[in-house]
Amino acid sequence: MKNFLALDKVIVTDSKWKECADKNALFLSYMEPERVLSGFYRTCKIPTDSMPYGGWEDSLIAGHGVGHYFSALGMRIRSLRGDSSYEAELSASLEKANAIVSGLKMCQERIGNGFLSAATVQDEDNPYIQFDILEGKAEGQQWVPWYALHKVLQGVLDLWFYGEIEGAKEVTCNLADWVSDRVLSWDEATRQKVLSVEYGGMNETLYLIYSLTQNRKYLEAAKVFDEPELYSELLGFKNRMKGVHANATIPKFAGFLTGAFVIDDADEVSKRIATSEKFWDTVLKNQTYATGGLGDMEHFFEDGLLDGSRTQCNAESCCCYNMIKLSQLLFMLTGKAKYLDYVERTLWNAKLGSIGPDGGYTYFNPMATGYYRLYSSARPSTNPFWCCVGTGLEDFAKFADKIYFADDGELYIAQWISSECIFEGDSYRLRVDFESGKLSVEGPSDSVVNLRIPRWIQRREEILSENEDFLCITLSSEGTFELDFSMKMELLGLPDNASVKGFRYGPFVLCVPLGEEKWGITENAGIEVVAPAWKIVFGDTYKGPITYGKTTRRVLESETLILPQGETVESFTKEFDKHIRCENGKFFLTGFANREDLPLIPYCQTGNQRYGIYWYIERG
């Protein structure tokens, strides 16, 4: 089994990724422990002069965002322990983490049974009211109480596991005891009722706590959240996933798969792996765009209806977060490099651009041409604390654990992100320059390293045998290995429309930048969630209504590129490179009857600009 190197063993040196990590760290530094704790204090009647953060963090789902913050803070602390140049930040982060754990412990002592909640108080005498309402034992309002509680539980677990904060283990186990005692008391009807509402990855977290404590109560509680009947139903026939909430569903499979790491039953382990692999294959084939993003308005669409589902509300960032997690787990269990391929495309495209030029995090990442990505506020004090803000905090606190893996005493380089690592006491250095096409690995002389060779490499067959993915290299007596590489320009398509085309160069999805006209004019797309109102492509405009769960799709005439006389979509597909011009390292689309040359830039670099990844190609 392959295991990723711990965060304190990896230092990322790639400038693009380091910039993202620094923006994320700045947001974490703005978070104030008293405000973070105020909702928890309010629940258990501890006096406080602080107010909770706004948006979703002052609602019935409050606690989900600060739970993600707990996780990101723990992860950041672990990373800082491996880099001596961040001593001041480490000290400040530890001070915050210790204050938070102390405050949460005080809350648990006040309530008396390990429970924690930051949600809006409906009944001062019943802090569990949302859970009671969901079970049919009380009346009132509820949103997704188990989802919010999952983020808190995972957050304190990460403060324990990553941050090694004193008292975090006790807080984690106390809360896990409350969860376990409650769920193990459910009859089947109650279980079905509760699990019909989004609950995050509660089974994943309980399996992880079991792996650390070996307390079988947590193992049995985790199994309560497994839904093998639902998994079979979703995968059993065509279009069953249509309309299903994507971000509620992906964590269910990741949680089920996590059980494969701790359950001592070979047949059950095989079943969990096979089920998760089938789900992953289905999502990749039928729901996923070139960037790694998926779905529309948070939901899966009809199998294969990718062009027909392109709107301003595609590719919720949380879905990428969870699909990366599922992919990483599958790679660890199976060793199949296709899962690393997905992680790569999603990191360099969906994720690298999901933090704004000035900070902040995306919710939707439109796949329809003519829209742009909106970013949340870069400061907690004015942030809406969407779910995608929370997962964004984690994304940029722990992407370093995607680069290196270890298996049976050997080091594997999974992602081409410039970085340094410590493996078995030795230092290794990976340098990747995509512009010059040079890669180098440095380490102890004569040591062995396994380097993944991506499928976007030109003449890959000259480096690897057909069925291989890793190049086993022995560093020279000087402790170096160098590889000159060039990247393929590839044509992208969508299964439901043969005339739709896009382009990828190496790992980078390319797009045409379309300016910033009418930027920031938005429509409501959910509770405190907004999406771009105007679609603009070369001066053509459209503004359509949005309601949660429903978008209005419109294709503009200007989205079509007309081929010269005599060329067809079929001939373009075979010789598309004739329409790509490279000048001083920059690419342009050229040779269309209705357009001058169009620049192509990496999608991750669009920032606030409108863009077009996919275009309709029409014969002249």
Side-chain angles (χ1 to χ4, degrees):
M1 183 183 299
K2 293 176 174 58
N3 292 300
F4 55 84
L5 293 196
L7 291 174
D8 58 347
K9 302 298 182 185
V10 180
I11 296 176
V12 173
T13 56
D14 179 281
S15 60
K16 296 182 181 66
W17 284 103
K18 191 173 183 301
E19 179 184 355
C20 290
D22 289 343
K23 289 178 186 176
N24 193 60
L26 191 61
F27 189 100
L28 297 179
S29 74
Y30 292 145
M31 296 287 285
E32 302 171 23
E34 283 300 313
R35 294 195 69 177
V36 166
L37 291 167
S38 61
F40 298 100
Y41 287 162
R42 182 177 55 188
T43 298
C44 61
K45 303 179 184 179
I46 294 176
T48 177
D49 293 328
S50 296
M51 295 294 293
Y53 287 105
W56 291 13
E57 273 306 299
D58 191 16
S59 73
L60 294 174
I61 200 177
H64 86 102
V66 296
H68 279 298
Y69 164 66
F70 297 162
S71 293
L73 181 61
M75 294 164 184
R76 182 66 177 173
I77 287 170
R78 176 60 70 89
S79 294
L80 296 175
R81 286 194 173 114
D83 191 339
S84 59
S85 62
Y86 287 87
E87 288 184 7
E89 185 187 343
L90 175 59
S91 177
S93 298
L94 285 169
E95 183 178 350
K96 286 185 176 183
N98 282 305
I100 288 166
V101 170
S102 295
L104 294 175
K105 185 177 180 182
M106 185 166 58
C107 292
Q108 289 182 324
E109 291 170 350
R110 176 66 67 94
I111 292 181
N113 59 9
F115 180 71
L116 289 170
S117 173
T120 301
V121 175
Q122 296 183 69
D123 183 342
E124 291 186 356
D125 297 322
N126 182 7
Y128 327 111
I129 189 168
Q130 283 200 71
F131 300 88
D132 291 342
I133 293 167
L134 185 54
E135 292 178 18
K137 298 175 181 177
E139 294 183 356
Q141 295 180 309
Q142 60 91 18
W143 193 347
V144 281
W146 283 100
Y147 171 90
L149 189 65
H150 164 248
K151 307 311 173 191
V152 175
L153 181 59
Q154 183 66 50
V156 292
L157 168 60
D158 289 335
L159 285 172
W160 165 24
F161 177 76
Y162 287 103
E164 300 177 342
I165 304 303
E166 184 177 355
K169 177 181 179 180
E170 181 182 353
V171 172
T172 302
C173 293
N174 287 342
L175 181 52
D177 286 339
W178 183 89
V179 169
S180 300
D181 292 342
R182 184 156 188 135
V183 306
L184 291 173
S185 71
W186 289 340
D187 57 25
E188 184 57 23
T190 302
R191 174 182 172 273
Q192 292 288 346
K193 183 182 295 185
V194 172
L195 268 56
S196 69
V197 175
E198 187 175 9
Y199 54 82
M202 188 61 80
N203 46 357
E204 174 197 3
T205 302
L206 289 166
Y207 280 127
L208 291 173
I209 297 172
Y210 166 70
S211 72
L212 294 170
T213 64
Q214 296 302 299
N215 185 331
R216 290 194 64 84
K217 179 169 68 171
Y218 305 145
L219 176 65
E220 297 307 315
K223 292 178 181 178
V224 172
F225 288 94
D226 291 337
E227 298 185 78
E229 301 86 359
L230 174 65
Y231 312 147
S232 297
E233 181 183 338
L234 289 175
L235 300 176
F237 55 93
K238 185 174 174 63
N239 292 330
R240 173 59 183 86
M241 286 169 60
K242 179 184 177 182
V244 173
H245 194 287
N247 196 48
T249 304
I250 301 167
K252 295 183 179 186
F253 284 86
F256 187 60
L257 183 61
T258 301
F261 289 85
V262 298
I263 290 175
D264 188 20
D265 181 327
D267 291 339
E268 178 64 17
V269 169
S270 296
K271 173 185 174 182
R272 289 175 182 246
I273 294 173
T275 299
S276 301
E277 286 197 290
K278 185 175 181 181
F279 173 75
W280 189 93
D281 288 339
T282 300
V283 172
L284 264 287
K285 177 183 178 182
N286 295 329
Q287 302 284 338
T288 305
Y289 293 100
T291 62
L294 58 102
D296 181 45
M297 191 60 89
E298 303 182 341
H299 290 72
F300 292 123
F301 38 71
E302 182 178 331
D303 291 353
L305 193 68
L306 282 111
D307 178 51
S309 302
R310 292 195 294 122
T311 74
Q312 71 270 62
C313 296
N314 296 122
E316 180 192 3
S317 288
C318 282
C319 292
C320 291
Y321 163 90
N322 282 305
M323 280 298 291
I324 287 175
K325 178 184 291 186
L326 179 62
S327 301
Q328 186 142 333
L329 293 172
L330 283 167
F331 172 69
M332 292 167 67
L333 287 162
T334 69
K336 295 178 182 177
K338 68 178 183 178
Y339 301 119
L340 299 180
D341 295 343
Y342 173 80
V343 172
E344 176 181 70
R345 71 193 262 196
T346 309
L347 285 176
W348 284 107
N349 297 290
K351 282 302 163 192
L352 190 58
S354 70
I355 194 165
D358 301 313
Y361 309 86
T362 60
Y363 197 109
F364 297 124
N365 299 270
M367 291 294 102
T369 296
Y371 290 112
Y372 53 89
R373 283 178 286 196
L374 284 165
Y375 300 94
S376 73
S377 168
R379 285 183 174 267
S381 58
T382 52
N383 200 279
F385 281 96
W386 307 318
C387 51
C388 296
V389 171
T391 52
L393 294 175
E394 291 190 43
D395 280 327
F396 296 105
K398 71 164 188 170
F399 59 82
D401 71 5
K402 314 293 187 294
I403 304 173
Y404 300 96
F405 288 78
D407 185 15
D408 197 24
E410 292 194 13
L411 180 65
Y412 288 77
I413 299 176
Q415 301 299 337
W416 287 30
I417 298 176
S418 295
S419 50
E420 301 170 2
C421 77
I422 302 295
F423 176 63
E424 295 192 340
D426 293 319
S427 298
Y428 292 82
R429 179 177 298 174
L430 170 67
R431 293 288 181 269
V432 185
D433 187 332
F434 290 103
E435 291 186 6
S436 65
K438 293 187 179 296
L439 174 146
S440 66
V441 181
E442 299 176 19
S445 61
D446 301 323
S447 60
V448 175
V449 176
N450 299 280
L451 174 69
R452 182 178 70 91
I453 304 298
R455 299 191 178 277
W456 43 258
I457 291 289
Q458 293 272 25
R459 297 181 296 278
R460 186 175 185 269
E461 69 281 359
E462 297 176 9
I463 302 173
L464 281 178
S465 299
E466 183 178 355
N467 296 320
E468 293 181 341
D469 293 290
F470 286 89
L471 177 67
C472 183
I473 57 178
T474 300
L475 300 186
S476 69
S477 57
E478 288 77 30
T480 61
F481 168 81
E482 294 182 351
L483 176 68
D484 292 331
F485 65 89
S486 55
M487 301 187 288
K488 293 180 185 177
M489 179 68 75
E490 297 178 274
L491 188 66
L492 305 172
L494 294 174
D496 55 326
N497 192 333
S499 71
V500 177
K501 304 298 179 184
F503 307 91
R504 177 171 53 219
Y505 182 59
F508 306 106
V509 171
L510 302 179
C511 66
V512 176
L514 297 172
E516 297 184 18
E517 184 182 354
K518 294 185 185 295
W519 186 91
I521 302 173
T522 63
E523 290 281 338
N524 182 55
I527 299 175
E528 299 198 35
V529 177
V530 293
W534 287 92
K535 174 187 177 84
I536 303 179
V537 183
F538 303 131
D540 284 358
T541 64
Y542 169 73
K543 182 177 183 289
I546 306 173
T547 57
Y548 179 71
K550 182 176 177 58
T551 50
T552 304
R553 181 174 180 271
R554 175 68 63 88
V555 177
L556 302 176
E557 184 178 339
S558 53
E559 294 178 62
T560 297
L561 302 179
I562 299 175
L563 293 165
Q565 196 70 28
E567 286 193 44
T568 65
V569 175
E570 292 75 15
S571 65
F572 173 84
T573 301
K574 292 178 182 177
E575 298 182 307
F576 73 90
D577 54 323
K578 293 195 307 183
H579 289 273
I580 304 289
R581 177 169 64 85
C582 182
E583 183 178 307
N584 297 323
K586 297 181 178 180
F587 292 105
F588 299 85
L589 271 177
T590 187
F592 292 95
N594 64 331
R595 292 289 164 212
E596 299 291 337
D597 288 3
L598 300 173
L600 286 170
I601 66 171
Y603 168 66
C604 61
Q605 295 178 10
T606 53
N608 292 325
Q609 293 191 82
R610 298 178 185 275
Y611 53 81
I613 295 173
Y614 295 103
W615 298 87
Y616 297 96
I617 306 298
E618 189 174 294
R619 68 185 300 165

